[in-house]
Amino acid sequence: MKDGIIDKLRQKHGWLNDMLAHMPADLLGHWSTANVQPHEMVCEQGRMADYFYIVIEGEFKVQHTLDDGHLVILAYLYPGELISDIEIALDRPYVCSVVASTKGSILALKTAIYSRWIEADPHFVFILNRQLSKKLYEAGQKSIDHMSMSLRHRLARYLYKQLEHFDFNEHVACMIAFSRENIALEWGVSVRSINRVLKDLKDRRMIFVQKNQIICNEWSRYLIEKELQELESKS
């Protein structure tokens, strides 16, 4: 890659500038960029890692296909998150595939160059360890939530997270993109179960539902917060 392109990306994204701050100069020119389209696969389950990636823009699904063909979404990746770091460290194949959910872009570095980088850059290793710790923490929290929370509780927490800091003085309504299918795969529940909870919330005028959107106003936030407090006081 030409140095000018990586310089522009570092100027645009402060987190990337920090991540690459101490990368040896002779390695910086080895980065390549790629634009990806929705549903495009970046990493394939079962294959060995040829590249290390940094997400620059867009959203990516981490998904696993079971032996019976059933698909499970384990996580989503966003700008600043890393792909292949665990597989390269362990010299093991991908346990999951990584697929673009939206249009996006990534930085790619061949595994051999990546290995040279982490040997020479303690600053980046510190950032890497923080991300690994974050992944482990979130995986543990997700397992606890899955075992201890009802679907209604999880959905209330999900919606409140979207609404908590939304400025209703600037916008009358908050439009939350919501795919029942993706949420069902991520949470390990059926679409029918999600529809049942959504219908109850809709019938109680807590939310308004369109095909792939949940629409909430300030009253919605108040009601969802109240319900969430009641659910969490019982748990």
Side-chain angles (χ1 to χ4, degrees):
M1 175 192 287
K2 294 181 180 178
D3 291 342
I5 298 176
I6 198 74
D7 288 342
K8 287 180 180 178
L9 288 173
R10 292 176 69 175
Q11 290 171 13
K12 183 178 180 181
H13 305 287
W15 55 264
L16 180 62
N17 186 54
D18 181 52
M19 196 175 284
L20 305 184
H22 301 283
M23 186 176 191
D26 62 317
L27 302 182
L28 275 170
H30 289 274
W31 287 106
S32 59
T33 59
N35 294 319
V36 294
Q37 300 298 316
H39 312 300
E40 186 174 342
M41 186 175 292
V42 177
C43 305
E44 185 177 357
Q45 179 179 325
R47 294 179 64 90
M48 297 297 291
D50 295 319
Y51 288 89
F52 164 79
Y53 302 96
I54 301 175
V55 177
I56 301 298
E57 294 176 336
E59 178 187 85
F60 295 78
K61 292 185 291 189
V62 181
Q63 60 188 42
H64 179 82
T65 303
L66 301 175
D67 291 340
D68 62 3
H70 185 69
L71 190 69
V72 179
I73 297 175
L74 300 177
Y76 287 88
L77 301 176
Y78 298 96
E81 297 196 84
L82 313 177
I83 303 172
S84 302
D85 48 315
I86 295 173
E87 291 78 9
I88 294 172
L90 298 176
D91 193 28
R92 301 288 294 274
Y94 292 112
V95 175
C96 301
S97 297
V98 177
V99 180
S101 305
T102 65
K103 287 184 179 180
S105 62
I106 52 177
L107 276 176
L109 191 68
K110 288 185 177 180
T111 54
I113 304 300
Y114 169 76
S115 297
R116 288 171 57 190
W117 178 22
I118 60 174
E119 288 177 2
D121 188 352
H123 174 74
F124 175 70
V125 172
F126 174 75
I127 293 173
L128 181 64
N129 285 336
R130 282 185 63 86
Q131 285 220 17
L132 287 170
S133 299
K134 180 173 177 282
K135 289 177 183 177
L136 286 171
Y137 184 88
E138 290 178 347
Q141 186 63 57
K142 186 174 180 179
S143 296
I144 292 168
D145 290 348
H146 182 72
M147 290 185 291
S148 63
M149 281 189 186
S150 67
L151 176 57
R152 188 182 191 87
H153 192 166
R154 294 170 76 184
L155 188 57
R157 180 179 283 188
Y158 173 86
L159 292 173
Y160 187 69
K161 186 177 180 181
Q162 314 299 314
L163 297 170
E164 184 176 8
H165 301 294
F166 188 83
D167 187 356
F168 284 106
N169 291 320
E170 185 175 346
H171 302 283
V172 174
C174 177
M175 318 286 280
I176 303 171
F178 188 85
S179 168
R180 294 169 173 83
E181 292 76 14
N182 283 348
I183 291 292
L185 289 172
E186 184 179 357
W187 290 357
V189 298
S190 68
V191 173
R192 180 179 296 178
S193 297
I194 291 173
N195 285 338
R196 189 180 304 119
V197 177
L198 289 177
K199 183 179 185 303
D200 182 58
L201 296 178
K202 180 182 176 182
D203 289 347
R204 293 169 59 195
R205 303 291 185 186
M206 294 176 69
I207 62 172
F208 305 90
V209 181
Q210 290 184 349
K211 185 177 181 181
N212 289 311
Q213 284 186 325
I214 294 176
I215 305 169
C216 298
N217 55 26
E218 193 164 10
W219 183 243
S220 303
R221 178 168 63 187
Y222 169 76
L223 292 175
I224 291 169
E225 181 179 17
K226 185 179 178 182
E227 171 139 334
L228 187 58
Q229 288 172 348
E230 292 174 355
L231 288 166
E232 297 197 340
S233 67
K234 296 175 183 177
S235 58

